[in-house]
C-alpha cells in the first residue's frame, strides 16, 4: 500500500527528551516554555518578526478575520480546502468567489476588481500548494480600495517570494501545522503579521481575550496550543532541511519519469521556489484522471483529488456559483503520493504504472 501522504516523525528519543522536561516542569499548556521556544525558532527559521503558535490552521483564519474586524463580503478563492471558505461563513461574513488563474491555480488577481462592491472588506486568498499568489497585484488592489488582505498560507511553510518570506505579504498570513502538512506539530497553526499592535491583539484573543489579572480587552477564544504539540514542532524543525531535500529529489524524479504523461504542472511564481509540499498534476481530461485513479486504487496506490470539487459549487450552506476555470481544473487535478519516507523505487513504480494505465 502506498498512501498519498504520511507524516514525518522524528526519532522517538528526541521527542522523549522534550517529554522529560515537560514532566519535570509539570507545565502542559498555556504558553509554556516549549511553545515560546517554538515561536522563537520559527521566527528565526522563517526570518519574520512576529508569529503566534495556535491551535490549528482553521482557528488561525477565524482569528485573523475577527482581529481585522471584517464584515460584509470577503473575496476568496473557490480552489482551496474547505476551511478557507467555512471560516468566512463562521465569522458571519459572505464569501464572494473569484475564479482562479489556470496556470498558477491561485485566485486570478485580474478578476478581483470586478467582484468588489461597497460591502467588500477584504481578500482572503490561498497560496495553493505553497505557490505564492500574485501578491504584488493583490497588494495594489487592496490599497486602492482600502481593503484588508489575509493569506491562507496553510501550504506555504518556508516559501519565499521576492527574497522574503511569503508570510510578509498581506495584513495577516496563517499557516497550518497539521500532521498532513509539509512541516507539522501533529495539530497546530501559525498566525503572522508585520503589525506589532495587531499581533498583540491576536495574542490576547488567543487567550480568551484576557489582557491582565481579572481584566479583558476584547472577545477571545481558546487558540492556545500545548507543550506536547510544541515539542513535536521543535523535534521536526531540526529535520526541515532534510525533509526539503528529500522531497525535492522525489519531485525531480517524478518530473523525469512522468515524461509522456498527458498532464501539466501548476506554473510557479517566477520570483519564488517550490517548497515541495505537494506533487500536483493537471491531467488532460477527467476521463484520464478517473481511469488512472480507479486502477491505482485497486493496486492500493492512493492519489487524491485535491482540491475537488470547487468550493463554489459544493457547500450546502452557500448558493452554487459556476466558476469555469476552477470547475474545469478541479475535475482534472490530482496529487500523487508524496512524503518523506516515500522511496525512489516507489516513485519509479508509480510513474511506470501511470504511463502504462494511460497508454492501455
Ligand atoms: C490544512 C488546511 C487548512 C486547515 O488547517 P488545519 O490546521 O487542518 O485546521 C486551511 N487551509 C488550507 C488551504 C489547508 O490546506
Amino acid at each position: 500500500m502506498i498512501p498519498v501522504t504520511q507524516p514525518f516523525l522524528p526519532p522517538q528519543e528526541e521527542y522523549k527528551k522534550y517529554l522529560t522536561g515537560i514532566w519535570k516542569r509539570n507545565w502542559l499548556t498555556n504558553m509554556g516554555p516549549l511553545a515560546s521556544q517554538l515561536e522563537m525558532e520559527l521566527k528565526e527559521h522563517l526570518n519574520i518578526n512576529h508569529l503566534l503558535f495556535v491551535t490549528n490552521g482553521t482557528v488561525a483564519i477565524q482569528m485573523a478575520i475577527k482581529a481585522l474586524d471584517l464584515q460584509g463580503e470577503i473575496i476568496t478563492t473557490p480552489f482551496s480546502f474547505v476551511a478557507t471558505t467555512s471560516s468566512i461563513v463562521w465569522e458571519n461574513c459572505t464569501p464572494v468567489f473569484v475564479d482562479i488563474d489556470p496556470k498558477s491555480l491561485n485566485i486570478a488577481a485580474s478578476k478581483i476588481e470586478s467582484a468588489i462592491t461597497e460591502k467588500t472588506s477584504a481578500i482572503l486568498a490561498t497560496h495553493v500548494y505553497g505557490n505564492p499568489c500574485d501578491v504584488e497585484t493583490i497588494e495594489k488592489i487592496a490599497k486602492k480600495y482600502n481593503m484588508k488582505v489575509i493569506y491562507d498560507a496553510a501550504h506555504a511553510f518556508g516559501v519565499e517570494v521576492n527574497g522574503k518570506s511569503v508570510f510578509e505579504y498581506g495584513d495577516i498570513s496563517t499557516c497550518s501545522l497539521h500532521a498532513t502538512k509539509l512541516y507539522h506539530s501533529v495539530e497546530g497553526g501559525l498566525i503572522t503579521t508585520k503589525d506589532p499592535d495587531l499581533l498583540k491583539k491576536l495574542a490576547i484573543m488567543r487567550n480568551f481575550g484576557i489582557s491582565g489579572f481579572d481584566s479583558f480587552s476584547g472577545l477571545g477564544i481558546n487558540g492556545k496550543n500545548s507543550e506536547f504539540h510544541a515539542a513535536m514542532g521543535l523535534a521536526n524543525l531540526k529535520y526541515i532541511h532534510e525533509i526539503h531535500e528529500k522531497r525535492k529529489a522525489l519531485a525531480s524524479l517524478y518530473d523525469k519519469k512522468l515524461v509522456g504523461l498527458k498532464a501539466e504542472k501548476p506554473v510557479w511564481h517566477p520570483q519564488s521556489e517550490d517548497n515541495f509540499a505537494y506533487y500536483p498534476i493537471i491531467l488532460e481530461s477527467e476521463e484520464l484522471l478517473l481511469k488512472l485513479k480507479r486502477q491505482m486504487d485497486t493496486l492500493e496506490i492512493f492519489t487524491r483529488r485535491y482540491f475537488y470539487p470547487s468550493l463554489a459549487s459544493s457547500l450546502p450552506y452557500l448558493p452554487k456559483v459556476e466558476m469555469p476555470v476552477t470547475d474545469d481544473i478541479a475535475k482534472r487535478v490530482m496529487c500523487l503520493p508524496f512524503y518523506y519516507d516515500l522511496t525512489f523505487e516507489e516513485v519509479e513504480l508509480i510513474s511506470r504504472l501511470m504511463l502504462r494505465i494511460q497508454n492501455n
Side-chain angles (χ1 to χ4, degrees), residues 51 74 104 159 184 193 204 207 219-221 226 238 262 266 279 296 328 336 339 346:
L51 164 152
I74 298 179
S104 71
V159 170
H184 79 91
T193 174
I204 292 169
N207 191 33
L219 191 59
I221 195 167
S226 83
K238 291 201 188 85
K262 292 171 183 153
Y279 193 88
M296 303 278 280
D328 170 50
L336 301 186
Y339 49 91
E346 286 170 325

Side-chain angles (χ1 to χ4, degrees), residues 56-58 80-81 83-84 126 152 154-155 176 178 181 188 306:
N56 57 58
T58 306
S80 186
F81 182 61
T84 317
T126 302
D152 179 348
H155 298 175
S176 168
H178 182 257
K181 303 299 205 265
Y306 188 70

Side-chain angles (χ1 to χ4, degrees), residues 15-222:
Y15 188 68
K16 278 186 188 154
K17 271 190 210 136
Y18 288 110
L19 294 185
T20 306
I22 294 176
W23 255 255
K24 224 180 260 162
R25 291 184 294 272
N26 202 346
W27 187 349
L28 309 186
T29 186
N30 286 11
M31 287 75 75
L34 295 180
S36 304
Q37 189 186 336
L38 180 64
E39 288 182 342
M40 217 175 60
E41 289 192 18
L42 285 173
K43 277 187 265 189
E44 201 166 307
H45 176 78
L46 299 166
N47 198 19
I48 55 175
N49 291 325
H50 306 296
L51 164 152
L52 293 173
F53 178 45
V54 299
T55 327
N56 57 58
T58 306
V59 162
I61 303 170
Q62 290 166 4
M63 286 172 62
I65 295 169
K66 188 76 86 189
L68 293 169
D69 295 316
L70 300 184
Q71 286 174 352
E73 296 173 357
I74 298 179
I75 289 175
T76 192
T77 174
F79 192 69
S80 186
F81 182 61
V82 64
T84 317
T85 305
S86 66
S87 299
I88 296 173
V89 178
W90 198 267
E91 293 303 325
N92 287 317
C93 294
T94 306
V96 173
F97 293 109
V98 165
D99 211 352
I100 57 170
D101 174 82
K103 295 272 184 258
S104 71
L105 312 192
N106 288 321
I107 194 166
S110 60
K111 293 181 182 160
I112 290 176
E113 277 196 90
S114 58
I116 295 172
T117 72
E118 273 167 17
K119 293 188 202 141
T120 311
S121 60
I123 300 166
L124 169 47
T126 302
H127 301 304
V128 176
Y129 309 127
N131 185 15
C133 291
D134 183 351
V135 287
E136 295 89 353
T137 308
I138 291 173
E139 193 167 280
K140 271 186 215 135
I141 297 169
K143 270 213 183 95
K144 181 169 163 193
Y145 293 91
N146 193 25
M147 300 185 312
K148 302 290 184 189
V149 178
I150 300 171
Y151 285 112
D152 179 348
H155 298 175
F157 186 86
V159 170
E160 291 194 346
V161 59
N162 302 318
K164 58 182 178 181
S165 170
V166 74
F167 294 166
E168 296 267 310
Y169 286 90
D171 295 278
I172 296 178
S173 291
T174 64
C175 188
S176 168
L177 307 189
H178 182 257
T180 56
K181 303 299 205 265
L182 175 66
Y183 164 73
H184 79 91
S185 61
V186 188
E187 290 274 0
L190 301 175
I191 304 182
T192 72
T193 174
K194 280 179 300 196
D195 177 350
D197 293 329
L198 189 53
L199 189 93
K200 212 165 165 190
K201 184 175 179 183
L202 283 158
I204 292 169
M205 186 177 275
R206 174 175 70 172
N207 191 33
F208 312 99
I210 298 171
S211 55
F213 290 108
D214 309 319
S215 69
F216 304 93
S217 67
L219 191 59
I221 195 167
N222 184 355

